[in-house]
Amino acid sequence: MAPLIGRRLRKGAATTAVAAAAMAALTASQAPGFANSDHGDRDREQRAGEAPAPDDTPIDGGSSYHTDLPPLVTPDKPGSSIDLPGLPGGSSTKPEAGIPASVLAAYKKAEATLRESNPGCNLPWELLAAIGKVESGQAGGGNVDADGTTVSPILGPVLNGDGFALIKDTDGGAYDGDSTHDRAVGPMQFIPSTWANWGRDGNGDGEKDPNNVYDAALAAGGYLCADGRDLSVKADLDRAILGYNHSREYLNTVLSWFEYYKRGTHEVPDGTGGIPSGKDSGSGDKGKDSGRNPGKGGGKDPGKGEENDAHTLPKPTDEPDTTTPTPPADGNEGTPGTGTPTPKPPTTPPSTPSGISKLTTVGAKELSTIAGSGFDRSPRVKAVDTAGKPVAAARVRYEILGDTDTRFLGLVKSATVLTAADGTAVAPKLLAGEKTGTFTVRATAVGREAAPVEFTATVKARPVPQADALARIGDKKLTAQAGASFADALTVKATNKGKLMADVPVTATMITSAKDPKPNDKGPYFLDEKGKPVRTLAALKTNALGQLTLPKILTDNQAGTFLLRLTAEGGAVLDIELTVTRAPAA
């Protein structure tokens, strides 16, 4: 998705994920926004003996991507590299584990926002960091201003069909500066047409800018969470990454960085993040970086917006090691190359999701609210094992069933959440639409045979707002000539116990007298929607300020004093006198 900066394969890469990524030549990639533009990815994967990407991957792209692999090694294998950065200390001593401050803050802010709006997605910020690393080297090593906007544009190659997708301009050059063809834009490399659909305001400044790392991170998170994905599920995680970029090589690379960042990261100042430069490449690329200008942090700056020459990654000299590494004998049995020991398991292991036997209801099984508002409480269940003990970290899926427009927070009909330490799983907040009636919310233990639990939810009609008083705004006498209309508008306000009331139904009727309020058949009148004279209007409501301005009042050829009665829902009544004078003689 992002322009090529340069990529080094580590000699003696330890893990299977890294080895799998190391075997692939990263020569083509895609940015969000390209449906049906494989560019041979599937054929290439099949020739390499890999499974093709899923057919339901929603969006493909067409620009090149880059990045080094994480610095992982096999500590006890002959020929392992001993000069990789950050060994043997923890994450704080690893240059590649450092993420620029603003970029890291943007990832974490996006995770927190989506935890509220779409909790069933379970988006980890480390996934955004992995994609950001691959796409733009963490926004060019954190080359952003105080608001998180890149100092220089980060642009992908011109998508003119020459080695990449052919995508004609969709934004008039507004984002990518190209009014002929599109280019991927910003730290997360969005195609302009995709940004038009997925762009978000992540920093609250009222703008949606793909060059702003806060906006881009939140948009990327929303994109990864689309279609009800639960990123704690491996299949959904893979599908989300492939949807971002339809390439198995890309998937392997992102997953490698994802696992690396989950082991530990640290914050570094903006502008000092590590950018792959190819200086110490051990795989024969001679340290070349495809023509990038030097940027901050001693690496190559992907923020200059220059075109890059795609190059094929040379095949490693040594065959990658795919065997399982033997832990060192010094008691450090942690991840190879991290220097972090793995904690010993407790004597009595906690209950695990595999032991889930039953879901039980916590609290009421019947929920209700009024149309257009949120439910006061959410469905809640508890997962227990065969011994009746709570099961933590079990996945529970909540689904809305039935004819309703009610949705979970995030406007989704289903969401998967994890049980807490006490075994409870709370559904996201339910938001009622305008459709009234009863529907079902079902809770199911994912991948387990435990019987589902169902909740009955009811959406009731909104109570009709009422008013105990009506009052005219203004006191000017209303006068008009016969055969004309009243020039002054008539406005009233509705209150209930002194409070202005919105949406109060009001009926306006011309009556004969206050003592005998029969509808009058002469004098002032209104026009209905078809332009016909009427002396009663029933489809009137006060506005958000509790006010109502009546339609124009016209007069026939009758002169005299007439009475208009306004009646509000709730019993409030107001009579207004209308005076009609004779027209001057011709």
Side-chain angles (χ1 to χ4, degrees):
M1 245 187 277
L4 187 68
I5 291 179
R7 186 169 181 273
R8 303 183 296 274
L9 286 180
R10 303 292 181 184
K11 188 176 182 181
T15 65
T16 301
V18 174
M23 294 178 66
L26 305 187
T27 58
S29 159
Q30 301 100 20
F34 287 47
N36 305 319
S37 55
D38 288 357
H39 302 294
D41 278 342
R42 298 192 185 197
D43 292 339
R44 188 166 59 250
E45 290 165 356
Q46 290 169 345
R47 287 197 301 271
E50 299 181 19
D55 290 336
D56 61 349
T57 300
I59 294 181
D60 292 333
S63 58
S64 65
Y65 63 86
H66 72 280
T67 194
D68 289 341
L69 290 173
L72 303 178
V73 297
T74 304
D76 64 335
K77 293 293 181 182
S80 296
S81 174
I82 60 173
D83 61 351
L84 298 181
L87 298 179
S91 66
S92 63
T93 64
K94 296 178 183 178
E96 286 294 335
I99 300 178
S102 292
V103 180
L104 181 60
Y107 297 151
K108 292 185 176 181
K109 182 176 176 62
E111 178 196 61
T113 299
L114 287 163
R115 188 186 304 123
E116 292 293 325
S117 64
N118 191 357
C121 174
N122 296 303
L123 171 78
W125 67 261
E126 292 90 345
L127 178 59
L128 295 175
I131 291 176
K133 176 70 173 178
V134 174
E135 295 301 332
S136 66
Q138 308 298 18
N143 190 24
V144 298
D145 62 20
D147 296 324
T149 302
T150 56
V151 175
S152 302
I154 300 176
L155 300 175
V158 177
L159 301 177
N160 57 8
D162 184 10
F164 302 104
L166 173 59
I167 304 296
K168 294 185 178 180
D169 176 65
T170 60
D171 66 334
Y175 292 125
D176 55 17
D178 191 327
S179 59
T180 304
H181 297 95
D182 269 344
R183 303 174 71 171
V185 179
M188 304 304 278
Q189 289 288 277
F190 274 88
I191 300 301
S193 58
T194 307
W195 183 260
N197 294 325
W198 290 92
R200 300 284 293 276
D201 177 13
N203 60 356
D205 64 357
E207 300 291 334
K208 298 178 182 179
D209 183 0
N211 298 296
N212 182 277
V213 69
Y214 290 94
D215 295 357
L218 184 57
Y223 183 88
L224 293 166
C225 288
D227 299 327
R229 297 190 189 104
D230 176 4
L231 300 183
S232 67
V233 179
K234 183 62 166 65
D236 280 3
L237 175 64
D238 288 355
R239 188 177 300 113
I241 297 172
L242 287 168
Y244 204 98
N245 186 310
H246 201 154
S247 164
R248 190 54 54 112
E249 297 133 330
Y250 180 88
L251 171 67
N252 290 339
T253 307
V254 169
L255 287 175
S256 295
W257 279 108
F258 179 40
E259 292 301 323
Y260 181 69
Y261 285 138
K262 285 199 298 183
R263 295 187 190 96
T265 61
H266 61 278
E267 178 184 301
V268 298
D270 288 345
T272 62
I275 307 173
S277 64
K279 284 184 179 180
D280 60 349
S281 172
S283 54
D285 70 355
K286 309 302 180 185
K288 295 183 180 180
D289 69 343
S290 301
R292 280 287 176 194
N293 289 332
K296 294 182 180 180
K300 301 297 176 178
D301 184 3
K304 301 300 182 183
E306 296 182 6
E307 197 68 76
N308 291 295
D309 298 325
H311 67 101
T312 302
L313 188 69
K315 184 177 180 179
T317 303
D318 298 334
E319 289 296 325
D321 178 15
T322 59
T323 61
T324 302
T326 303
D330 61 358
N332 179 9
E333 288 128 6
T335 302
T338 64
T340 304
T342 302
K344 299 293 184 182
T347 304
T348 304
S351 179
T352 63
S354 61
I356 189 170
S357 173
K358 184 179 180 181
L359 291 179
T360 59
T361 305
V362 178
K365 292 188 69 172
E366 296 185 356
L367 314 169
S368 66
T369 191
I370 61 174
S373 64
F375 284 74
D376 290 337
R377 58 171 285 117
S378 295
R380 183 188 302 250
V381 297
K382 184 174 183 178
V384 296
D385 60 17
T386 54
K389 294 182 179 180
V391 179
R395 289 187 291 122
V396 175
R397 183 175 180 83
Y398 285 97
E399 298 175 274
I400 297 174
L401 308 175
D403 185 15
T404 179
D405 57 359
T406 296
R407 296 291 184 268
F408 290 118
L409 189 66
L411 302 181
V412 294
K413 292 191 68 175
S414 64
T416 301
V417 298
L418 298 178
T419 55
D422 62 356
T424 58
V426 183
K429 187 176 182 63
L430 282 167
L431 304 176
E434 296 300 325
K435 189 176 184 64
T436 60
T438 300
F439 60 95
T440 299
V441 178
R442 177 180 294 166
T444 308
V446 179
R448 306 291 179 257
E449 295 182 357
V453 172
E454 293 188 347
F455 298 81
T456 300
T458 303
V459 178
K460 302 176 182 179
R462 300 173 191 247
V464 179
Q466 298 184 345
D468 58 16
L470 286 172
R472 184 184 168 196
I473 297 177
D475 56 3
K476 185 177 180 180
K477 186 176 181 179
L478 298 174
T479 304
Q481 288 184 355
S485 62
F486 288 84
D488 297 312
L490 174 58
T491 302
V492 298
K493 63 181 180 179
T495 57
N496 195 335
K497 297 180 180 180
K499 180 182 178 181
L500 290 169
M501 298 298 296
D503 298 323
V504 176
V506 177
T507 299
T509 305
M510 301 295 178
I511 59 175
T512 55
S513 69
K515 293 183 179 180
D516 185 20
K518 294 179 181 180
N520 207 335
D521 60 357
K522 59 183 178 181
Y525 62 91
F526 303 103
L527 295 177
D528 66 10
E529 57 187 16
K530 295 181 180 181
K532 295 182 178 180
V534 293
R535 290 185 170 86
T536 297
L537 287 179
L540 302 174
K541 279 188 178 181
T542 57
N543 61 18
L545 301 177
Q547 299 179 0
L548 168 64
T549 298
L550 272 69
K552 179 179 289 189
I553 303 174
L554 298 89
T555 62
D556 58 12
N557 58 1
Q558 298 291 322
T561 300
F562 300 89
L563 205 59
L564 168 63
R565 171 163 289 184
L566 302 177
T567 306
E569 184 74 26
V573 176
L574 175 65
D575 290 339
I576 299 173
E577 190 175 272
L578 304 174
T579 301
V580 180
T581 60
R582 294 187 179 280

